[in-house]
């Protein structure tokens, strides 16, 4: 089975540019999570969806960040405009319908550098 | 906010030795999970221990959970160079999400 697929794997962009990160969750999973990882703050939950509906976006740092999930197999995280402090690894993860255990499957991450 | 805090932040050992990592958390949990992250890769689930369990084994991994002390430990026995990675604990409080600690970086030297 294919795991969580993220693109791009690496992106270098200039400050002020728009960045769009993409994610395809594991088929059949109905939860999708976006995390950000930095050395200073560790792994932070930005937003998560259930059945394509955003449930909690309290971790989204600013209005410059937005996320969508138009269907069960695709989600985007957009940063506009990007700033150097947005440089981080962004992980998408998904989870199967809740059955008592809450194991999350991660993609390989999108490494973002804003210069 | 961080729920789990791993200790130590970094650990360096020789192949064949055992590696022990600890995790402390603050509130009641349904279960606690350990994940592994190789350099440049995503996190991978290793093992889950439920709040009513005290110990669990999987291959060379042994996890303990002490809910009275709100702590867990991950023991990797007979470590190998391939075990070099960061290890994270994650707590499930019964909601839909997991909260991760900052991880322990393990270096196993040949």
């Amino acid at each position: 089975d294919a795991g969580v697929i993220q693109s791009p794997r690496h992106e270098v962009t200039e400050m002020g540019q728009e960045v769009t990160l993409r994610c395809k969750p594991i088929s059949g999973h109905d939860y999708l999570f976006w995390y950000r990882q930095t050395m200073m703050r560790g792994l932070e939950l930005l937003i998560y969806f259930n059945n394509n509906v955003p449930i909690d976006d309290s971790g989204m740092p600013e209005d410059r960040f937005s996320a969508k999930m138009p269907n069960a197999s695709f989600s985007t995280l957009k940063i506009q405009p990007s700033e150097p402090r947005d440089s981080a690894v962004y992980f998408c993860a998904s989870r199967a319908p809740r059955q008592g255990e809450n194991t999350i499957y991660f993609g390989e991450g999108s490494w973002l550098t804003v210069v | 906010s961080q729920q789990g805090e791993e200790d130590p932040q970094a650990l360096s050992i020789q192949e064949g030795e055992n590696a022990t990592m600890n995790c402390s958390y603050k509130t009641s949990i349904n279960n606690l999970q350990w994940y592994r992250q190789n350099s440049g890769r995503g996190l991978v689930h290793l093992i889950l221990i439920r709040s009513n369990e005290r110990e669990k084994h999987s291959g060379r991994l042994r996890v303990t959970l002490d809910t009275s002390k709100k702590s867990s430990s991950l023991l990797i026995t007979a470590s190998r160079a391939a075990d070099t990675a960061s290890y994270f604990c994650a707590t499930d409080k019964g909601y839909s999400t997991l909260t991760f600690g900052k991880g322990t970086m393990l270096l196993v030297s040949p």
Side-chain angles (χ1 to χ4, degrees), chain B residues 27-68:
Chain B
T27 61
S28 297
I29 60 172
N30 277 8
N31 64 65
L32 185 144
Q33 304 179 33
W34 286 89
Y35 286 75
R36 167 187 167 136
Q37 183 180 30
N38 285 13
S39 180
R41 308 295 296 274
L43 282 74
V44 176
H45 177 258
L46 290 177
I47 192 167
L48 178 150
I49 186 165
R50 297 183 181 85
S51 59
N52 61 355
E53 296 176 314
R54 291 297 169 258
E55 186 171 312
K56 200 163 184 179
H57 296 255
S58 177
R60 295 185 294 112
L61 304 180
R62 172 180 170 251
V63 172
T64 62
L65 180 64
D66 186 334
T67 53
S68 67

Side-chain angles (χ1 to χ4, degrees), chain B residues 2 11 15 18 20 22 25 29-30 37 40-42 58 60 66 73 78 86-87 94 98 105-106 108:
Chain B
Q2 300 292 339
L11 180 61
E15 266 190 328
N18 295 341
T20 299
N22 303 298
Y25 57 93
I29 60 172
N30 277 8
Q37 183 180 30
R41 308 295 296 274
S58 177
R60 295 185 294 112
D66 186 334
S73 67
S86 290
Y87 293 82
L98 297 179
M105 293 180 60
L106 173 65
V108 182

Side-chain angles (χ1 to χ4, degrees), chain A residues 9 31 33 35 37 40-41 45 48 91 95 98 101-104 106-108 111, chain B residues 2 33 35 37 40-43 45 48 50 88 92 94-98 100 102:
Chain A
R9 285 280 281 132
Y31 281 87
F33 307 87
Y35 284 89
Q37 186 178 39
M40 290 296 295
R41 301 174 66 90
L45 177 65
Y48 77 94
F91 287 103
R95 203 200 80 198
R98 193 169 182 87
E101 294 187 355
N102 191 7
T103 298
I104 291 179
F106 283 79
E108 296 286 50
W111 295 67
Chain B
Q2 300 292 339
Q33 304 179 33
Y35 286 75
Q37 183 180 30
R41 308 295 296 274
L43 282 74
H45 177 258
L48 178 150
R50 297 183 181 85
F88 296 84
D92 178 1
Y95 309 129
S96 301
T97 62
L98 297 179
F100 288 83
K102 288 190 174 182

